[in-house]
Amino acid sequence: AQTVTQSQPEMSVQEAETVTLSCTYDTSESDYYLFWYKQPPSRQMILVIRQEAYKQQNATENRFSVNFQKAAKSFSLKISDSQLGDAAMYFCAYDERSNYKLTFGKGTLLTVNP
Amino acid sequence: NAGVTQTPKFRILKIGQSMTLQCAQDMNHNYMYWYRQDPGMGLKLIYYSVGAGITDKGEVPNGYNVSRSTTEDFPLRLELAAPSQTSVYFCASSYDSRYWAFFGQGTRLTVV
């Protein structure tokens, strides 16, 4: 079974600084998708960014970017110019193509200090 | 507004009671899912459906049942509620398994 590991239960960053959240995953597949979700205190799950495994180029969405290392099975999220509104739980997730299911990591709680 | 609607938002059940968590989406998505979120444990898949009339078990299906009679609705049934089912439940839908984006707002269930 696929597993997703987020080794940092909690992280903190100063406002306007950059922070990187780590994620590793275990799979024998070559075609899959990776996601980062944000869950603020409101509990809503918000898709932050997605990466297709067959694409070598790292995905970016405004201040959010990923470092996708396929051979190392690593998928880290970089948040630049951190804002107070970025404070949330962040989940890394894996979806094996044609498997129809998302597997989540346990999450990283990000605190942004003013 | 288009999206995934879950009801209720909060519920307290007594041990042994039953209830149905409702989930509806208006985006004509084929794929629908139920997850539960326990503190510090991320989200775990309970059941999923790839289309009307088709459902399958996820990682933690025991104590739950689902049905999918229409594309729009995917209710989750809890029979004989137990304290171990205290959790936050999320319904999600997707047009395609690659385009994960839509979650409901969650239902916080407490079994006492």
Side-chain angles (χ1 to χ4, degrees), chain B:
Chain B
N1 294 332
V4 179
T5 302
Q6 282 184 243
T7 55
K9 289 186 174 59
F10 303 93
R11 183 71 186 269
I12 298 175
L13 277 182
K14 293 184 178 179
I15 294 172
Q17 287 185 321
S18 300
M19 77 164 293
T20 299
L21 279 66
Q22 301 291 345
C23 176
Q25 53 91 7
D26 57 2
M27 297 169 284
N28 202 34
H29 286 170
N30 285 325
Y31 299 85
M32 295 189 75
Y33 306 80
W34 276 105
Y35 282 88
R36 60 177 286 172
Q37 182 180 21
D38 299 322
M41 296 300 294
L43 281 74
K44 295 195 174 184
L45 183 65
I46 305 171
Y47 271 96
Y48 68 101
S49 170
V50 300
I54 306 170
T55 62
D56 206 348
K57 296 178 181 178
E59 185 180 358
V60 289
N62 291 343
Y64 308 94
N65 278 300
V66 294
S67 60
R68 183 96 182 270
S69 57
T70 67
T71 299
E72 294 78 20
D73 299 300
F74 189 42
L76 177 71
R77 178 82 176 163
L78 279 71
E79 304 283 0
L80 299 175
S84 61
Q85 293 178 305
T86 293
S87 190
V88 178
Y89 292 83
F90 286 97
C91 179
S93 76
S94 177
Y95 170 73
D96 183 289
S97 67
R98 295 169 293 174
Y99 297 100
W100 281 86
F102 297 94
F103 278 78
Q105 70 271 45
T107 296
R108 181 175 293 279
L109 175 67
T110 303
V111 182
V112 297

Side-chain angles (χ1 to χ4, degrees), chain A residues 33 35 37 39 42-45 47 50 52 54 89 91 95-107, chain B residues 9-10 31 33 35 37 40-43 45 48 50 57 88 90 97-101 103-108:
Chain A
Y33 305 90
F35 306 83
Y37 277 90
Q39 186 181 43
S42 67
R43 208 167 65 200
Q44 182 68 42
M45 293 288 287
L47 179 65
R50 63 188 290 272
E52 298 177 51
Y54 65 86
M89 182 72 83
F91 292 98
D95 181 11
E96 179 183 312
R97 188 172 181 177
S98 78
N99 198 29
Y100 313 121
K101 293 176 255 189
L102 264 182
T103 300
F104 285 85
K106 293 185 178 182
Chain B
K9 289 186 174 59
F10 303 93
Y31 299 85
Y33 306 80
Y35 282 88
Q37 182 180 21
M41 296 300 294
L43 281 74
L45 183 65
Y48 68 101
V50 300
K57 296 178 181 178
V88 178
F90 286 97
S97 67
R98 295 169 293 174
Y99 297 100
W100 281 86
F103 278 78
Q105 70 271 45
T107 296
R108 181 175 293 279

